[in-house]
Amino acid sequence: MKKKKIVILGTGGTIAGTAASASDHTGYTAAQVGIDQLVAAVPAFAGTACELVTEQVAQVDSKDMSFAVWARLAARMKHFLAQADVQGLVITHGTDTLEETAWFLQALLNPDKPVVLTCAMRPATALAPDGPQNMLDAVAVASHPGARGVLAVCAGVIHSARDVQKVHTYRLDAFSSGDAGPVGYVEEGRLRLLRNWPEALSVHALSAIKNIASDDAGKNWPRVEIVMNYAGAGAAVVQALVAGGVQGLVVAGTGNGTLHHALEAALLQAQAAGVRVVRATRCLEGRVLPKAGDAIPDSQGLSPVKARVDMLLQLIG
Ligand code: SIN
């Protein structure tokens, strides 16, 4: 029987990190170990019914994620997904911006095949690293019949790109899908699904993908920034950004997207000057519920960082 082909793309992160001591879980350097070596460190892959193909797309600490890496990753993803014998993709990624990359790829490419981002909270040199099990679980999801869309797998939990969010600074189970709940679990290599595979359609995807070249250094991407509401928030940051040529602003409002009157006035002024403005919430759960007559549109349930990705794609498309 022909084995299913799963492509594993490496981008760096703690999963590829090294520390001087096996007991050091925080003082390590991310993005050191190549994807071939990471795969070779999982003996259980030898027994899977999959043919694994690897490619190093980048080697970055994901706090330094760039538009250039996103463009390259999207191009390689598109390339491999177009191959009929490729069943699915796994992408190893740092945890810090994993949710942004996941949403970028989902909103841009809306893949019919599974694309599973995975990661680790402990470096590869740890006494008990979590990366190998996460990679094994990610391959189980990527090879599951019917799986589709961009997903994230960490600590045995399957999240959709839309809902996944890093919520803990050091625990192995660092991600949550908030009140949407996870897509399912990987239990001893088997999937227990709790809801349907994600089907997020994006209206800007088709034109945006045409406008993003694989060798795009990101220099011409629009400038979209995030501002936040808090006690004493004012107009100064927004005014400085507008003066600096910002094209889009996502505001992380308090509660149901509420804004200090001074910040709101500055945002409305920016909007009137042609800057695109969207209102999200800094709350970890729930979504901004719009009211009739709202002058600033809501983020349709997207977190501030994902609403920014959406706005980038709209402006690129
Ligand atoms: C990173 O995001 O690349 C470093 C942190 C991590 O992967 O947990």
Side-chain angles (χ1 to χ4, degrees), residues 127-272:
L127 197 57
D130 51 330
Q133 184 65 54
N134 285 344
M135 283 208 295
L136 203 55
D137 289 348
V139 169
V141 175
S143 56
H144 189 77
R148 72 167 306 284
V150 180
L151 302 149
V153 168
C154 183
V157 187
I158 310 167
H159 304 272
S160 73
R162 187 173 226 285
D163 300 309
V164 68
Q165 207 167 347
K166 187 173 180 181
V167 294
H168 204 277
T169 53
Y170 60 83
R171 280 194 200 137
L172 300 191
D173 190 1
F175 289 89
S176 167
S177 287
D179 49 12
V183 174
Y185 299 103
V186 188
E187 298 168 336
E188 299 292 313
R190 290 203 181 83
L191 271 57
R192 177 160 63 94
L193 295 175
L194 304 180
R195 56 189 178 100
N196 290 340
W197 298 106
E199 288 227 27
L201 290 168
S202 172
V203 284
H204 22 271
L206 284 178
S207 47
I209 190 72
K210 276 192 232 128
N211 293 337
I212 297 175
S214 59
D215 59 351
D216 194 329
K219 287 202 185 78
N220 298 321
W221 285 34
R223 181 154 174 229
V224 178
E225 302 288 352
I226 300 173
V227 293
M228 191 187 264
N229 193 51
Y230 40 77
V237 174
V238 170
Q239 286 168 348
L241 288 169
V242 173
V246 80
Q247 287 151 278
L249 288 169
V250 174
V251 58
T254 28
N256 189 30
T258 56
L259 302 172
H260 187 289
H261 61 87
L263 175 61
E264 185 164 30
L267 288 167
L268 291 173
Q269 223 172 3
Q271 200 177 40

Side-chain angles (χ1 to χ4, degrees), residues 13-14 28 30 60-63 94-96 120-121 166:
T14 294
Y28 58 85
V60 291
D61 186 322
S62 82
K63 70 177 175 55
T95 59
D96 286 349
M121 292 298 287
K166 187 173 180 181

Side-chain angles (χ1 to χ4, degrees), residues 37-54:
Q37 218 180 316
L38 292 180
V39 169
V42 187
F45 277 144
T48 63
C50 301
E51 176 196 347
L52 302 180
V53 174
T54 57

